[in-house]
Amino acid sequence: MMRFSRHDSPILLEVLGDLQRQHGANQLAYRAYMSAARNVKSKLAQTRYQLMAQNALDWTLVSWKQTKDVKITEAEIAKDFQEELADAEAWFEKVVADEKRWIAEGVAVDEKFNEKYREAKTVAITTDPDVERSRESYSPPAAWVPVFNWLVVIGILVAAIAFILILFAVRVYQASSNTSAEL
């Protein structure tokens, strides 16, 4: 969508921000919402996108301050965003120029694009062992699995018995209501 549609579409950027936020990528969501704010004409819409961007960062900024005592502000993130935006616009202009040249040359644009821009690059990734441990899913000890299974079975039985008792109580009440109505 970003390549073949309008990469600066506010609606597309808003959806991208929403998706990033759902996956915990709050700084990327901030950037998407701020890009949407830049590309919309309405002052009200700009304000709303800016608020969405700020809200995307609020939790992140609070959690950083509480857990790692990192001193970072929205102004610093906004400054980084402006620098990244300038780089992105220069890159996009380069892509557009390349695609126009390839079209003029009559070559397969997608193939040339993939050849030039989608090659796998080696990236050094470092991980924090504490973060990696927190990402591991918890699985209970094997001894707990049978206990859990029995608790589920007992819960279902209790619910079934409660349902039968409620039905019995309703029938008794209806029968007593009919008897008193006959008197």
Side-chain angles (χ1 to χ4, degrees):
M1 292 293 295
M2 298 300 281
R3 179 172 174 218
F4 293 110
S5 182
R6 284 187 42 223
H7 73 281
D8 58 353
S9 164
I11 294 170
L12 187 57
L13 289 163
E14 178 183 353
V15 171
L16 178 62
D18 293 345
L19 289 170
Q20 296 290 4
R21 196 160 181 199
Q22 280 183 336
H23 292 284
N26 294 339
Q27 286 192 47
L28 293 175
Y30 170 87
R31 286 158 169 78
Y33 295 138
M34 289 302 287
S35 293
R38 279 184 76 240
N39 296 308
V40 73
K41 291 177 177 60
S42 162
K43 286 290 183 192
L44 178 62
Q46 284 178 349
T47 302
R48 288 186 177 167
Y49 282 130
Q50 289 167 348
L51 284 173
M52 291 169 77
Q54 184 180 8
N55 288 337
L57 283 184
D58 281 345
W59 182 86
T60 304
L61 294 174
V62 168
S63 68
W64 281 338
K65 289 175 184 172
Q66 289 176 350
T67 59
K68 295 183 181 179
D69 199 31
V70 173
K71 304 296 184 208
I72 190 167
T73 65
E74 185 177 348
E76 292 171 308
I77 294 172
K79 181 178 175 259
D80 286 346
F81 170 65
Q82 291 303 319
E83 292 169 3
E84 292 168 2
L85 196 55
D87 289 342
E89 287 173 354
W91 180 85
F92 186 74
E93 289 173 10
K94 184 178 173 185
V95 170
V96 169
D98 282 343
E99 288 183 335
K100 284 180 180 179
R101 189 180 76 251
W102 294 328
I103 290 169
E105 293 171 357
V107 297
V109 176
D110 284 338
E111 289 177 20
K112 285 290 193 178
F113 179 91
N114 289 336
E115 180 183 307
K116 183 168 184 175
Y117 293 105
R118 294 197 186 214
E119 65 186 43
K121 295 187 169 112
T122 305
V123 178
I125 298 174
T126 59
T127 58
D128 181 353
D130 293 333
V131 172
E132 290 304 312
R133 273 194 291 281
S134 70
R135 289 183 184 160
E136 294 173 3
S137 62
Y138 172 77
S139 58
W144 282 96
V145 174
V147 172
F148 177 76
N149 290 341
W150 277 109
L151 289 175
V152 170
V153 169
I154 291 170
I156 292 171
L157 287 173
V158 168
I161 291 170
F163 180 73
I164 291 169
L165 288 174
I166 290 171
L167 281 178
F168 180 73
V170 168
R171 298 280 176 150
V172 168
Y173 175 76
Q174 287 174 342
S176 67
S177 295
N178 288 341
T179 305
S180 46
E182 291 175 2
L183 295 175

